[in-house]
Short mmCIF file of all heavy atoms in Angstrom, two decimals:
data_model
loop_
_atom_site.label_atom_id
_atom_site.label_comp_id
_atom_site.label_asym_id
_atom_site.label_seq_id
_atom_site.Cartn_x
_atom_site.Cartn_y
_atom_site.Cartn_z
N MET A 1 -89.89 -42.34 69.50
CA MET A 1 -90.74 -42.58 68.34
C MET A 1 -92.16 -42.77 68.74
O MET A 1 -92.46 -43.68 69.56
CB MET A 1 -90.21 -43.84 67.57
CG MET A 1 -88.87 -43.65 66.86
SD MET A 1 -89.06 -42.74 65.29
CE MET A 1 -89.85 -44.04 64.32
N PRO A 2 -93.07 -42.04 68.20
CA PRO A 2 -94.47 -42.24 68.46
C PRO A 2 -94.86 -43.63 67.89
O PRO A 2 -94.45 -44.02 66.83
CB PRO A 2 -95.21 -41.18 67.66
CG PRO A 2 -94.18 -40.12 67.38
CD PRO A 2 -92.85 -40.83 67.35
N SER A 3 -95.72 -44.26 68.65
CA SER A 3 -96.11 -45.67 68.25
C SER A 3 -97.04 -45.71 67.08
O SER A 3 -97.30 -46.71 66.51
CB SER A 3 -96.72 -46.38 69.47
OG SER A 3 -97.89 -45.67 69.85
N THR A 4 -97.53 -44.49 66.70
CA THR A 4 -98.54 -44.51 65.59
C THR A 4 -97.92 -44.45 64.27
O THR A 4 -98.56 -44.59 63.23
CB THR A 4 -99.50 -43.31 65.75
OG1 THR A 4 -98.71 -42.10 65.98
CG2 THR A 4 -100.42 -43.46 66.91
N THR A 5 -96.60 -44.17 64.20
CA THR A 5 -95.98 -44.14 62.88
C THR A 5 -95.56 -45.54 62.45
O THR A 5 -95.27 -46.42 63.23
CB THR A 5 -94.70 -43.22 62.94
OG1 THR A 5 -93.78 -43.76 63.89
CG2 THR A 5 -95.05 -41.82 63.27
N GLY A 6 -95.50 -45.71 61.14
CA GLY A 6 -95.06 -46.97 60.58
C GLY A 6 -96.06 -48.06 60.68
O GLY A 6 -95.64 -49.26 60.61
N VAL A 7 -97.33 -47.74 60.95
CA VAL A 7 -98.35 -48.77 61.04
C VAL A 7 -98.83 -49.21 59.62
O VAL A 7 -99.18 -48.31 58.84
CB VAL A 7 -99.54 -48.31 61.86
CG1 VAL A 7 -100.60 -49.39 61.86
CG2 VAL A 7 -99.07 -47.97 63.30
N VAL A 8 -98.70 -50.45 59.33
CA VAL A 8 -99.16 -50.91 58.03
C VAL A 8 -100.22 -51.99 58.24
O VAL A 8 -100.29 -52.63 59.34
CB VAL A 8 -98.04 -51.43 57.16
CG1 VAL A 8 -96.96 -50.40 56.92
CG2 VAL A 8 -97.42 -52.69 57.82
N CYS A 9 -101.02 -52.17 57.22
CA CYS A 9 -102.07 -53.23 57.28
C CYS A 9 -101.35 -54.59 57.38
O CYS A 9 -100.49 -54.93 56.55
CB CYS A 9 -102.91 -53.14 56.06
SG CYS A 9 -104.12 -54.44 55.92
N PRO A 10 -101.77 -55.46 58.30
CA PRO A 10 -101.18 -56.73 58.43
C PRO A 10 -101.60 -57.72 57.29
O PRO A 10 -100.97 -58.72 57.09
CB PRO A 10 -101.67 -57.28 59.75
CG PRO A 10 -103.00 -56.57 59.97
CD PRO A 10 -102.74 -55.20 59.32
N HIS A 11 -102.61 -57.32 56.54
CA HIS A 11 -103.10 -58.17 55.45
C HIS A 11 -102.38 -57.89 54.17
O HIS A 11 -102.10 -58.84 53.37
CB HIS A 11 -104.60 -58.03 55.31
CG HIS A 11 -105.39 -58.28 56.56
ND1 HIS A 11 -105.40 -59.51 57.18
CD2 HIS A 11 -106.15 -57.46 57.33
CE1 HIS A 11 -106.16 -59.40 58.28
NE2 HIS A 11 -106.60 -58.16 58.35
N CYS A 12 -102.14 -56.61 53.80
CA CYS A 12 -101.65 -56.30 52.56
C CYS A 12 -100.46 -55.33 52.60
O CYS A 12 -99.78 -55.10 51.55
CB CYS A 12 -102.72 -55.64 51.66
SG CYS A 12 -103.25 -54.05 52.20
N GLY A 13 -100.16 -54.83 53.80
CA GLY A 13 -98.96 -53.96 53.91
C GLY A 13 -99.17 -52.55 53.53
O GLY A 13 -98.13 -51.75 53.48
N TRP A 14 -100.41 -52.13 53.33
CA TRP A 14 -100.68 -50.74 53.02
C TRP A 14 -100.33 -49.84 54.25
O TRP A 14 -100.71 -50.20 55.31
CB TRP A 14 -102.16 -50.58 52.63
CG TRP A 14 -102.49 -49.19 52.15
CD1 TRP A 14 -102.87 -48.14 52.95
CD2 TRP A 14 -102.49 -48.72 50.79
NE1 TRP A 14 -103.05 -47.03 52.14
CE2 TRP A 14 -102.86 -47.38 50.84
CE3 TRP A 14 -102.18 -49.35 49.58
CZ2 TRP A 14 -102.94 -46.61 49.66
CZ3 TRP A 14 -102.33 -48.56 48.42
CH2 TRP A 14 -102.67 -47.20 48.49
N PRO A 15 -99.63 -48.74 54.02
CA PRO A 15 -99.31 -47.89 55.14
C PRO A 15 -100.50 -47.08 55.59
O PRO A 15 -100.55 -45.89 55.37
CB PRO A 15 -98.23 -47.00 54.55
CG PRO A 15 -98.47 -46.93 53.09
CD PRO A 15 -99.10 -48.29 52.70
N ASP A 16 -101.48 -47.70 56.16
CA ASP A 16 -102.79 -47.13 56.36
C ASP A 16 -102.85 -46.06 57.45
O ASP A 16 -103.76 -45.27 57.52
CB ASP A 16 -103.86 -48.21 56.63
CG ASP A 16 -103.48 -49.11 57.78
OD1 ASP A 16 -102.66 -48.79 58.60
OD2 ASP A 16 -104.05 -50.23 57.80
N ALA A 17 -101.82 -46.02 58.29
CA ALA A 17 -101.81 -44.98 59.35
C ALA A 17 -101.51 -43.63 58.74
O ALA A 17 -102.03 -42.63 59.14
CB ALA A 17 -100.75 -45.32 60.39
N ALA A 18 -100.69 -43.67 57.74
CA ALA A 18 -100.27 -42.41 57.12
C ALA A 18 -101.23 -42.01 55.93
O ALA A 18 -101.42 -40.81 55.70
CB ALA A 18 -98.90 -42.50 56.59
N GLU A 19 -101.74 -42.99 55.27
CA GLU A 19 -102.50 -42.67 54.05
C GLU A 19 -103.67 -43.72 53.86
O GLU A 19 -103.47 -44.73 53.30
CB GLU A 19 -101.55 -42.81 52.87
CG GLU A 19 -102.17 -42.42 51.55
CD GLU A 19 -101.14 -42.44 50.43
OE1 GLU A 19 -99.94 -42.64 50.71
OE2 GLU A 19 -101.57 -42.30 49.28
N PRO A 20 -104.81 -43.37 54.46
CA PRO A 20 -105.95 -44.29 54.28
C PRO A 20 -106.29 -44.53 52.84
O PRO A 20 -106.31 -43.59 52.06
CB PRO A 20 -107.09 -43.58 55.00
CG PRO A 20 -106.42 -42.60 55.90
CD PRO A 20 -105.14 -42.24 55.26
N PHE A 21 -106.55 -45.79 52.47
CA PHE A 21 -106.90 -46.11 51.13
C PHE A 21 -108.19 -45.47 50.70
O PHE A 21 -108.34 -44.84 49.62
CB PHE A 21 -106.96 -47.62 50.96
CG PHE A 21 -107.25 -48.02 49.52
CD1 PHE A 21 -106.28 -47.96 48.54
CD2 PHE A 21 -108.50 -48.54 49.19
CE1 PHE A 21 -106.55 -48.36 47.22
CE2 PHE A 21 -108.81 -48.90 47.86
CZ PHE A 21 -107.82 -48.84 46.92
N GLN A 22 -109.23 -45.63 51.51
CA GLN A 22 -110.51 -45.03 51.23
C GLN A 22 -111.25 -44.70 52.58
O GLN A 22 -111.33 -45.59 53.46
CB GLN A 22 -111.39 -46.03 50.42
CG GLN A 22 -112.81 -45.44 50.19
CD GLN A 22 -113.68 -46.51 49.53
OE1 GLN A 22 -113.35 -47.67 49.51
NE2 GLN A 22 -114.81 -46.04 49.02
N VAL A 23 -111.71 -43.44 52.67
CA VAL A 23 -112.47 -43.05 53.87
C VAL A 23 -113.93 -43.40 53.63
O VAL A 23 -114.53 -42.94 52.65
CB VAL A 23 -112.32 -41.57 54.16
CG1 VAL A 23 -113.19 -41.18 55.34
CG2 VAL A 23 -110.83 -41.30 54.48
N VAL A 24 -114.51 -44.23 54.43
CA VAL A 24 -115.88 -44.69 54.29
C VAL A 24 -116.81 -43.69 54.89
O VAL A 24 -117.79 -43.22 54.27
CB VAL A 24 -116.10 -46.06 54.88
CG1 VAL A 24 -117.54 -46.47 54.70
CG2 VAL A 24 -115.21 -47.08 54.23
N SER A 25 -116.57 -43.30 56.15
CA SER A 25 -117.43 -42.34 56.79
C SER A 25 -116.71 -41.72 58.00
O SER A 25 -115.76 -42.31 58.53
CB SER A 25 -118.75 -42.93 57.25
OG SER A 25 -118.53 -43.92 58.17
N THR A 26 -117.14 -40.56 58.44
CA THR A 26 -116.51 -39.90 59.59
C THR A 26 -117.63 -39.56 60.57
O THR A 26 -118.74 -39.19 60.11
CB THR A 26 -115.71 -38.72 59.18
OG1 THR A 26 -116.58 -37.77 58.56
CG2 THR A 26 -114.57 -39.02 58.22
N HIS A 27 -117.35 -39.62 61.83
CA HIS A 27 -118.31 -39.27 62.84
C HIS A 27 -117.64 -38.43 63.90
O HIS A 27 -116.63 -38.85 64.42
CB HIS A 27 -118.89 -40.56 63.51
CG HIS A 27 -119.43 -41.57 62.50
ND1 HIS A 27 -120.75 -41.52 62.03
CD2 HIS A 27 -118.80 -42.57 61.85
CE1 HIS A 27 -120.88 -42.52 61.17
NE2 HIS A 27 -119.72 -43.14 61.04
N ALA A 28 -118.23 -37.32 64.14
CA ALA A 28 -117.70 -36.43 65.23
C ALA A 28 -118.07 -36.97 66.63
O ALA A 28 -119.23 -37.46 66.79
CB ALA A 28 -118.19 -35.02 65.07
N THR A 29 -117.11 -36.96 67.50
CA THR A 29 -117.39 -37.34 68.89
C THR A 29 -116.95 -36.24 69.82
O THR A 29 -116.37 -35.26 69.36
CB THR A 29 -116.67 -38.68 69.24
OG1 THR A 29 -115.26 -38.35 69.26
CG2 THR A 29 -116.94 -39.71 68.21
N ALA A 30 -117.22 -36.42 71.07
CA ALA A 30 -116.88 -35.40 72.05
C ALA A 30 -115.35 -35.12 72.06
O ALA A 30 -114.92 -34.05 72.42
CB ALA A 30 -117.44 -35.78 73.41
N THR A 31 -114.62 -36.16 71.84
CA THR A 31 -113.14 -36.03 71.99
C THR A 31 -112.45 -35.84 70.66
O THR A 31 -111.26 -35.62 70.65
CB THR A 31 -112.57 -37.30 72.66
OG1 THR A 31 -113.00 -38.42 71.89
CG2 THR A 31 -113.07 -37.41 74.06
N GLY A 32 -113.14 -35.87 69.55
CA GLY A 32 -112.51 -35.66 68.28
C GLY A 32 -113.34 -36.31 67.19
O GLY A 32 -114.20 -35.64 66.60
N GLY A 33 -113.15 -37.51 66.88
CA GLY A 33 -113.94 -38.17 65.86
C GLY A 33 -113.58 -39.59 65.64
O GLY A 33 -112.60 -40.10 66.16
N THR A 34 -114.43 -40.27 64.96
CA THR A 34 -114.20 -41.62 64.54
C THR A 34 -114.29 -41.67 63.03
O THR A 34 -115.12 -41.12 62.41
CB THR A 34 -115.27 -42.54 65.11
OG1 THR A 34 -115.30 -42.37 66.51
CG2 THR A 34 -115.00 -44.04 64.81
N VAL A 35 -113.29 -42.38 62.44
CA VAL A 35 -113.24 -42.47 60.96
C VAL A 35 -113.17 -43.96 60.60
O VAL A 35 -112.44 -44.72 61.12
CB VAL A 35 -111.95 -41.79 60.46
CG1 VAL A 35 -111.90 -41.85 58.94
CG2 VAL A 35 -111.84 -40.37 60.94
N TRP A 36 -114.12 -44.32 59.72
CA TRP A 36 -114.12 -45.67 59.19
C TRP A 36 -113.44 -45.61 57.81
O TRP A 36 -113.77 -44.77 56.98
CB TRP A 36 -115.59 -46.12 59.01
CG TRP A 36 -116.30 -46.48 60.25
CD1 TRP A 36 -116.70 -45.55 61.21
CD2 TRP A 36 -116.70 -47.71 60.74
NE1 TRP A 36 -117.32 -46.20 62.25
CE2 TRP A 36 -117.36 -47.57 61.93
CE3 TRP A 36 -116.51 -49.05 60.23
CZ2 TRP A 36 -117.86 -48.63 62.69
CZ3 TRP A 36 -117.10 -50.10 60.89
CH2 TRP A 36 -117.72 -49.90 62.17
N THR A 37 -112.49 -46.49 57.65
CA THR A 37 -111.73 -46.50 56.40
C THR A 37 -111.72 -47.95 55.85
O THR A 37 -111.83 -48.90 56.60
CB THR A 37 -110.34 -45.99 56.53
OG1 THR A 37 -109.56 -46.85 57.44
CG2 THR A 37 -110.30 -44.61 57.07
N ARG A 38 -111.50 -48.05 54.57
CA ARG A 38 -111.38 -49.37 53.95
C ARG A 38 -110.01 -49.44 53.36
O ARG A 38 -109.59 -48.54 52.63
CB ARG A 38 -112.46 -49.57 52.89
CG ARG A 38 -112.54 -50.97 52.35
CD ARG A 38 -113.45 -51.15 51.17
NE ARG A 38 -114.68 -50.45 51.30
CZ ARG A 38 -115.75 -51.04 51.92
NH1 ARG A 38 -115.64 -52.25 52.44
NH2 ARG A 38 -116.90 -50.42 52.08
N CYS A 39 -109.33 -50.54 53.61
CA CYS A 39 -107.99 -50.69 53.09
C CYS A 39 -108.00 -51.18 51.62
O CYS A 39 -109.04 -51.50 51.12
CB CYS A 39 -107.23 -51.66 53.97
SG CYS A 39 -105.45 -51.85 53.57
N ALA A 40 -106.81 -51.16 51.05
CA ALA A 40 -106.69 -51.65 49.63
C ALA A 40 -107.11 -53.08 49.55
O ALA A 40 -107.60 -53.54 48.49
CB ALA A 40 -105.28 -51.44 49.17
N CYS A 41 -107.01 -53.85 50.60
CA CYS A 41 -107.36 -55.25 50.57
C CYS A 41 -108.83 -55.51 50.94
O CYS A 41 -109.29 -56.62 50.91
CB CYS A 41 -106.47 -56.06 51.52
SG CYS A 41 -106.67 -55.60 53.24
N GLY A 42 -109.52 -54.50 51.32
CA GLY A 42 -110.93 -54.60 51.60
C GLY A 42 -111.32 -54.66 53.11
O GLY A 42 -112.43 -54.70 53.46
N SER A 43 -110.31 -54.66 53.96
CA SER A 43 -110.57 -54.74 55.38
C SER A 43 -111.05 -53.39 55.84
O SER A 43 -110.52 -52.33 55.51
CB SER A 43 -109.41 -55.24 56.17
OG SER A 43 -108.44 -54.24 56.19
N LEU A 44 -112.10 -53.37 56.73
CA LEU A 44 -112.55 -52.14 57.28
C LEU A 44 -111.79 -51.84 58.59
O LEU A 44 -111.46 -52.76 59.37
CB LEU A 44 -114.06 -52.30 57.69
CG LEU A 44 -115.05 -51.94 56.59
CD1 LEU A 44 -116.47 -52.30 57.04
CD2 LEU A 44 -115.00 -50.49 56.19
N GLN A 45 -111.54 -50.58 58.74
CA GLN A 45 -110.84 -50.13 60.00
C GLN A 45 -111.60 -49.06 60.64
O GLN A 45 -112.24 -48.24 60.02
CB GLN A 45 -109.43 -49.64 59.62
CG GLN A 45 -108.54 -50.67 59.09
CD GLN A 45 -107.58 -50.05 58.05
OE1 GLN A 45 -107.24 -48.88 58.16
NE2 GLN A 45 -107.13 -50.86 57.17
N VAL A 46 -111.53 -49.02 61.99
CA VAL A 46 -112.11 -47.92 62.77
C VAL A 46 -110.96 -47.17 63.43
O VAL A 46 -110.18 -47.76 64.14
CB VAL A 46 -113.10 -48.47 63.85
CG1 VAL A 46 -113.75 -47.33 64.58
CG2 VAL A 46 -114.15 -49.33 63.23
N ARG A 47 -110.89 -45.85 63.15
CA ARG A 47 -109.87 -45.08 63.72
C ARG A 47 -110.47 -44.07 64.68
O ARG A 47 -111.55 -43.53 64.36
CB ARG A 47 -109.12 -44.30 62.64
CG ARG A 47 -108.47 -45.15 61.65
CD ARG A 47 -108.50 -44.41 60.35
NE ARG A 47 -107.94 -45.28 59.32
CZ ARG A 47 -106.61 -45.28 58.95
NH1 ARG A 47 -105.85 -44.37 59.48
NH2 ARG A 47 -106.16 -46.14 58.11
N VAL A 48 -109.81 -43.81 65.77
CA VAL A 48 -110.22 -42.75 66.65
C VAL A 48 -109.27 -41.57 66.52
O VAL A 48 -108.06 -41.76 66.56
CB VAL A 48 -110.27 -43.24 68.13
CG1 VAL A 48 -110.46 -42.08 69.06
CG2 VAL A 48 -111.41 -44.28 68.27
N VAL A 49 -109.84 -40.40 66.31
CA VAL A 49 -109.00 -39.17 66.21
C VAL A 49 -109.23 -38.36 67.43
O VAL A 49 -110.37 -38.04 67.82
CB VAL A 49 -109.43 -38.36 64.94
CG1 VAL A 49 -108.54 -37.15 64.79
CG2 VAL A 49 -109.45 -39.22 63.71
N ASP A 50 -108.10 -38.02 68.10
CA ASP A 50 -108.21 -37.15 69.26
C ASP A 50 -106.98 -36.25 69.27
O ASP A 50 -106.25 -36.11 68.32
CB ASP A 50 -108.38 -37.95 70.53
CG ASP A 50 -107.23 -38.89 70.77
OD1 ASP A 50 -106.16 -38.70 70.16
OD2 ASP A 50 -107.40 -39.85 71.53
N ASP A 51 -106.73 -35.61 70.46
CA ASP A 51 -105.68 -34.69 70.52
C ASP A 51 -104.33 -35.33 70.33
O ASP A 51 -103.34 -34.65 69.98
CB ASP A 51 -105.64 -34.01 72.00
CG ASP A 51 -106.83 -33.13 72.18
OD1 ASP A 51 -107.40 -32.71 71.18
OD2 ASP A 51 -107.16 -32.84 73.32
N HIS A 52 -104.22 -36.67 70.43
CA HIS A 52 -102.95 -37.34 70.33
C HIS A 52 -102.71 -37.86 68.91
O HIS A 52 -101.71 -38.42 68.63
CB HIS A 52 -102.86 -38.49 71.31
CG HIS A 52 -103.11 -38.07 72.78
ND1 HIS A 52 -102.18 -37.29 73.47
CD2 HIS A 52 -104.12 -38.28 73.60
CE1 HIS A 52 -102.70 -37.04 74.64
NE2 HIS A 52 -103.87 -37.62 74.78
N GLY A 53 -103.65 -37.63 68.06
CA GLY A 53 -103.54 -38.10 66.68
C GLY A 53 -104.56 -39.08 66.34
O GLY A 53 -105.67 -39.15 66.90
N THR A 54 -104.21 -39.94 65.40
CA THR A 54 -105.17 -40.98 64.91
C THR A 54 -104.57 -42.33 65.23
O THR A 54 -103.43 -42.61 65.07
CB THR A 54 -105.32 -40.86 63.36
OG1 THR A 54 -105.80 -39.57 63.04
CG2 THR A 54 -106.30 -41.89 62.86
N ARG A 55 -105.51 -43.24 65.69
CA ARG A 55 -105.01 -44.59 65.94
C ARG A 55 -106.12 -45.57 65.50
O ARG A 55 -107.33 -45.26 65.60
CB ARG A 55 -104.63 -44.79 67.39
CG ARG A 55 -105.80 -44.63 68.39
CD ARG A 55 -105.29 -44.83 69.77
NE ARG A 55 -106.35 -44.66 70.76
CZ ARG A 55 -106.87 -43.54 71.23
NH1 ARG A 55 -106.39 -42.40 70.76
NH2 ARG A 55 -107.89 -43.51 72.09
N VAL A 56 -105.69 -46.72 65.03
CA VAL A 56 -106.62 -47.72 64.58
C VAL A 56 -107.02 -48.57 65.84
O VAL A 56 -106.15 -49.10 66.58
CB VAL A 56 -105.98 -48.66 63.57
CG1 VAL A 56 -106.95 -49.81 63.18
CG2 VAL A 56 -105.59 -47.85 62.31
N VAL A 57 -108.30 -48.60 66.11
CA VAL A 57 -108.79 -49.32 67.27
C VAL A 57 -109.42 -50.60 66.86
O VAL A 57 -109.65 -51.51 67.78
CB VAL A 57 -109.82 -48.46 68.05
CG1 VAL A 57 -109.13 -47.25 68.61
CG2 VAL A 57 -111.01 -48.08 67.22
N SER A 58 -109.81 -50.78 65.59
CA SER A 58 -110.39 -52.04 65.18
C SER A 58 -110.12 -52.26 63.74
O SER A 58 -110.08 -51.31 62.94
CB SER A 58 -111.92 -52.01 65.42
OG SER A 58 -112.51 -53.20 64.97
N ARG A 59 -109.86 -53.49 63.34
CA ARG A 59 -109.54 -53.78 61.97
C ARG A 59 -110.21 -55.12 61.57
O ARG A 59 -110.11 -56.13 62.26
CB ARG A 59 -108.02 -53.92 61.82
CG ARG A 59 -107.58 -54.01 60.40
CD ARG A 59 -106.11 -54.39 60.31
NE ARG A 59 -105.22 -53.48 60.99
CZ ARG A 59 -104.67 -52.41 60.42
NH1 ARG A 59 -104.99 -52.07 59.19
NH2 ARG A 59 -103.90 -51.57 61.12
N GLY A 60 -110.94 -55.06 60.50
CA GLY A 60 -111.64 -56.22 59.99
C GLY A 60 -110.76 -57.09 59.10
O GLY A 60 -109.62 -56.72 58.85
N ARG A 61 -111.33 -58.12 58.63
CA ARG A 61 -110.65 -59.00 57.71
C ARG A 61 -110.76 -58.54 56.25
O ARG A 61 -111.79 -57.85 55.96
CB ARG A 61 -111.20 -60.42 57.82
CG ARG A 61 -110.76 -61.11 59.12
CD ARG A 61 -111.49 -62.41 59.31
NE ARG A 61 -113.01 -62.18 59.45
CZ ARG A 61 -113.84 -63.16 59.63
NH1 ARG A 61 -113.46 -64.39 59.70
NH2 ARG A 61 -115.14 -62.87 59.76
N PRO A 62 -109.82 -58.84 55.44
CA PRO A 62 -109.95 -58.44 54.04
C PRO A 62 -111.10 -59.20 53.39
O PRO A 62 -111.38 -60.35 53.72
CB PRO A 62 -108.61 -58.80 53.46
CG PRO A 62 -108.04 -59.86 54.33
CD PRO A 62 -108.60 -59.50 55.71
N SER A 63 -111.76 -58.54 52.43
CA SER A 63 -112.84 -59.21 51.69
C SER A 63 -112.42 -59.39 50.28
O SER A 63 -111.86 -58.48 49.67
CB SER A 63 -114.08 -58.35 51.79
OG SER A 63 -113.89 -57.09 51.22
N PRO A 64 -112.64 -60.56 49.72
CA PRO A 64 -112.25 -60.78 48.34
C PRO A 64 -113.00 -59.94 47.38
O PRO A 64 -114.18 -59.73 47.54
CB PRO A 64 -112.57 -62.28 48.15
CG PRO A 64 -113.56 -62.60 49.19
CD PRO A 64 -113.26 -61.71 50.35
N ALA A 65 -112.33 -59.42 46.41
CA ALA A 65 -112.95 -58.51 45.43
C ALA A 65 -113.83 -59.30 44.47
O ALA A 65 -113.52 -60.44 44.10
CB ALA A 65 -111.94 -57.70 44.67
N GLY A 66 -114.92 -58.75 44.04
CA GLY A 66 -115.72 -59.38 42.97
C GLY A 66 -116.52 -60.54 43.42
O GLY A 66 -116.72 -61.46 42.65
N CYS A 67 -117.01 -60.46 44.67
CA CYS A 67 -117.70 -61.60 45.13
C CYS A 67 -119.23 -61.52 44.86
O CYS A 67 -119.64 -60.60 44.26
CB CYS A 67 -117.52 -61.87 46.58
SG CYS A 67 -118.55 -60.96 47.76
ZN1 LIG B 1 -104.95 -54.08 53.81
#
């Protein structure tokens, strides 16, 4: 089993590896790209895309809505 499957947000349980809630921005890099996404709970994530797929390398804390 690839380790990238079945990854969910620890804050809200969104299956963010398979289906990003919102793509904030994308950046091309020499090896593929970097994608910033925001989860349903408001936490920002940084994903690296390369030949092996997509993996979350950084995840922020959820932000309360309507602040
Ligand atoms: Zn979340």
Side-chain angles (χ1 to χ4, degrees):
M1 288 281 287
S3 61
T4 50
T5 59
V7 177
V8 300
C9 175
H11 304 297
C12 69
W14 185 273
D16 54 19
E19 187 178 350
F21 181 74
Q22 179 188 13
V23 175
V24 178
S25 63
T26 59
H27 307 272
T29 67
T31 55
T34 304
V35 182
W36 289 69
T37 63
R38 191 189 310 279
C39 186
C41 64
S43 71
L44 273 174
Q45 295 148 25
V46 183
R47 301 148 183 265
V48 170
V49 183
D50 58 20
D51 292 341
H52 304 290
T54 302
R55 63 184 182 278
V56 176
V57 296
S58 181
R59 189 191 302 272
R61 287 171 296 182
S63 58
C67 87

